[in-house]
Amino acid sequence: MTATGVDAVVRDLLADIETLVRCESPSSDHEAVARSADVVAALGRRLLDAEPERVVVDGSTHLRWRLGGTPRVLLLGHHDTVWPIGSLETHPYSVRDGVLRGPGCFDMKAGVVMALHAAASVRDRAGLSILITGDEEVGSPSSRRLIEEEARGCDAVFVLEASADGGALKCRRKGVSLYRIDVEGRAAHAGLEAEKGVNAGVEIAHQILAVAMLTDPERGTSVVPTALSAGTTTNTVPARASVALDVRAWDPAEQRRVDRSVRELRPVLADARIRISGGINRPPLHAEASSGLFGLAASLAESLGLGALTSAAVGGASDGNLTAGLGIPTLDGLGAVGGGAHADDEHVVVAELPRRTALLAALIQAVTDGANAHGTAPATDADTADTADTAGATGATSPR
C-alpha cells in the first residue's frame, strides 16, 4: 500500500507510527526510552497543542497529559518495547499489501499514536487524561503508583494495548506473579574434589521441578520457570544458580496459593541455601470490570458502521490489570489489530487503524459527555438501542 492509495487519516496515522517505531525503546535502556519519550511528547504537542508532564522514576520516563478539569477518562499505554537496539536492521519498518511491520508496532506503538489522534479528534477534551509509560514490558515497577494515582476517580480507563485475535477486545486477563529463586552452594574442582562442593545447579534443578508441579491446568494456572543461570566454568562445581518464575492465574486465590508454596520452598541438598524474591505483581482483570464498557463500545461500533465487536480472555497481563484491581471500569485491547507481539512476524492491519481510532474517539466522547461507566450511552433520537442487548448480540463473553 502506497501513501497515494490511502486517505489523509490513514496517511497521518502511518507517518506518526513510522516515526515512533523508528525510535527504538527497549525497556531496560533508559536513554533509549528517554529518546522515545521525546518523540511521543513532540507528537502529542503537535496533535493536542499541549505539553506533557515528564515523570522520571528510577530512570524510566513516563508522559502524562491532563487536558482540563478533573480526569474522568484515562487513556493508558506504554512506549517501551521488548525489542533491543538494532532490531530495525533485522526487522525493518515497512508497509506492504495493507500490513505494517516493525519492532514494537503492534505492542504497542501503533496504540500510542491511535490514542493521541483519537484525543485530538474529540470536540471537548475536558476530563481527559493520557498516560504513556516507559516500563510496562518489565512489569511497570516505576510506573505502577503513577498509573494507580491517575486512574483513581476516573469513570473509565481505556487501554491501548493491541487487540486479541481477530480484533477482539481484551475483557478478561490473568493476574501475574513474578519470582526469582537464588541458590547458594559451594564451589569445588569438578574433577579433583567434587564431593567437597555443594552443587547449586543440582539444587536449582530440584527447585525447578518443585515449582513446575504447582501448575494447575484445570484452573488455568501456569507456573513457568524461565530465565535460568548456573555456574562459571565447565570444571567448577557451581556455587550459585538462579531461575525466574512467571506465574499466571485467573483467580486471586490461585495467586495466593502459589505464593505460599513458593515461599515455603526449602533446600534439598545439605548446606545449600535458597533465597526467594518477588511476589504477586498484578491482580487478574475480571470480566466484570470490562462488561459495561464493552457494551458501550459494541453499541458505538454498530452506530459507526464498524460491525460487531467480540471479546476475549487472554493469559497476558497489562497495566489495565492494575486499574481494574482498583475497581475502575477498564476496557483493554483497544489498540492495533494484527498479531505477532514480541515475535518475528509482529504486524498491524492498516485498514483497521482509522476504524479503531474512530471507535476510541467515540468512547472518549461518550464518557466525557456523561455516559456512565456501566455501559449506557447518552440517549439520542438516532440511537435508542438497549446496550446490554447489543453487547449480547456482538459476542460479549467471559470465558476462562
Side-chain angles (χ1 to χ4, degrees):
M1 180 179 291
T2 65
T4 56
V6 297
D7 62 25
V9 173
V10 176
R11 186 168 58 245
D12 290 346
L13 285 166
L14 290 178
D16 290 337
I17 293 170
E18 178 177 3
T19 299
L20 192 50
V21 169
R22 289 190 182 280
C23 184
E24 296 176 299
S25 54
S27 311
S28 59
D29 187 333
H30 291 163
E31 291 184 1
V33 172
R35 291 193 296 270
S36 174
D38 290 340
V39 173
V40 177
L43 174 60
R45 193 180 304 119
R46 190 193 86 227
L47 291 170
L48 304 172
D49 193 26
E51 192 72 29
E53 177 185 1
R54 184 182 295 259
V55 183
V56 181
V57 184
D58 296 335
S60 293
T61 305
H62 319 297
L63 299 173
R64 176 171 61 190
W65 282 267
R66 287 178 174 168
L67 300 176
T70 302
R72 293 192 62 193
V73 176
L74 172 61
L75 304 187
L76 184 57
H78 65 89
H79 65 103
D80 62 312
T81 78
V82 301
W83 294 87
I85 295 293
S87 295
L88 280 168
E89 296 179 10
T90 55
H91 298 75
Y93 176 89
S94 67
V95 181
R96 296 189 185 92
D97 300 323
V99 177
L100 183 156
R101 300 182 186 275
C105 64
F106 183 60
D107 185 13
M108 58 159 288
K109 293 197 172 186
V112 171
V113 171
M114 292 164 64
L116 295 173
H117 276 256
S121 71
V122 299
R123 63 179 179 273
D124 183 3
R125 300 173 199 160
L128 179 59
S129 179
I130 305 170
L131 180 60
I132 308 297
T133 65
D135 66 348
E136 192 274 345
E137 294 290 5
V138 290
S140 310
S142 72
S143 61
R144 177 170 186 153
R145 179 174 296 181
L146 184 65
I147 292 165
E148 292 177 340
E149 288 176 351
E150 200 65 18
R152 285 191 176 94
C154 283
D155 295 325
V157 176
F158 297 127
V159 184
L160 271 297
E161 291 284 356
S163 70
D165 291 347
L169 301 188
K170 295 173 178 177
C171 292
R172 193 182 181 205
R173 286 184 179 271
K174 288 185 178 182
V176 178
S177 304
L178 301 171
Y179 300 91
R180 178 184 168 105
I181 303 174
D182 288 286
V183 172
E184 183 178 341
R186 184 168 59 245
H189 193 292
L192 295 178
E193 45 188 14
E195 70 281 359
K196 292 185 178 180
V198 177
N199 196 314
V202 173
E203 180 62 48
I204 204 72
H206 284 295
Q207 300 300 327
I208 288 172
L209 292 173
V211 296
M213 294 298 292
L214 298 174
T215 291
D216 189 334
E218 291 187 1
R219 290 186 170 89
T221 302
S222 60
V223 182
V224 182
T226 56
L228 171 66
S229 66
T232 53
T233 67
T234 58
N235 60 351
T236 303
V237 173
R240 291 179 178 79
S242 67
V243 66
L245 303 180
D246 180 294
V247 180
R248 308 283 170 135
W250 294 118
D251 185 351
E254 276 292 277
Q255 288 185 292
R256 294 191 293 270
R257 175 186 68 84
V258 174
D259 186 74
R260 286 192 301 270
S261 297
V262 170
R263 296 188 188 285
E264 290 171 356
L265 292 170
R266 297 293 180 266
V268 173
L269 301 182
D271 296 330
R273 291 185 290 180
I274 66 172
R275 184 175 69 255
I276 309 296
S277 56
I280 296 173
N281 176 264
R282 57 192 70 200
L285 191 163
H286 293 299
E288 292 80 3
S290 298
S291 59
L293 289 175
F294 179 82
L296 175 59
S299 177
L300 291 169
E302 291 287 349
S303 68
L304 291 169
L306 302 180
L309 290 181
T310 57
S311 65
V314 296
S318 80
D319 288 334
N321 291 60
L322 302 178
T323 61
L326 297 174
I328 310 299
T330 299
L331 188 59
D332 203 339
L334 284 161
V337 176
H342 301 190
D344 289 340
D345 65 337
E346 183 168 10
H347 65 279
V348 170
V349 178
V350 171
E352 292 295 333
L353 288 170
R355 293 162 54 85
R356 296 298 277 249
T357 304
L359 175 61
L360 177 62
L363 280 165
I364 296 167
Q365 199 64 68
V367 177
T368 55
D369 279 351
N372 68 50
H374 301 290
T376 304
T380 67
D381 291 339
D383 181 15
T384 58
D386 183 88
T387 302
D389 289 344
T390 304
T394 54
T397 61
S398 54
R400 169 161 289 181

